[in-house]
Amino acid sequence: MNTDLYLVIGIIVVALAIPAVFAAYSEGRVPRAASILVLIGGSLVVMALTKKPGGYEVQDIPNAFYRVIGQLMR
């Protein structure tokens, strides 16, 4: 798997965890599942940032999404 895929999956997982955190707190529960999602997504993002030579910049993120979508469409 390439670093773009790690980055995209990590960002999506972290984005999905945000509503789970708010739902758990509003219901008075401990956000265990959301914490696990943040841990997994954050690990994928950090792995992508460290494995790519030169790393990623903020303006590279949309291009990474386009490249991953392009690979999936092929």
Side-chain angles (χ1 to χ4, degrees):
M1 290 174 63
N2 63 10
T3 56
D4 287 343
L5 189 59
Y6 289 143
L7 180 70
V8 169
I9 291 173
I11 289 172
I12 290 171
V13 168
V14 169
L16 290 175
I18 293 170
V21 169
F22 288 129
Y25 279 126
S26 69
E27 295 173 2
R29 295 182 290 118
V30 179
R32 288 185 184 98
S35 300
I36 292 170
L37 285 174
V38 168
L39 183 66
I40 292 169
S43 299
L44 286 170
V45 169
V46 168
M47 189 166 54
L49 293 174
T50 57
K51 287 201 179 256
K52 182 176 181 189
Y56 284 96
E57 294 183 13
V58 176
Q59 59 266 24
D60 294 335
I61 295 172
N63 292 332
F65 271 89
Y66 293 139
R67 285 190 294 269
V68 168
I69 292 170
Q71 288 176 354
L72 292 175
M73 298 300 264
R74 268 194 273 161

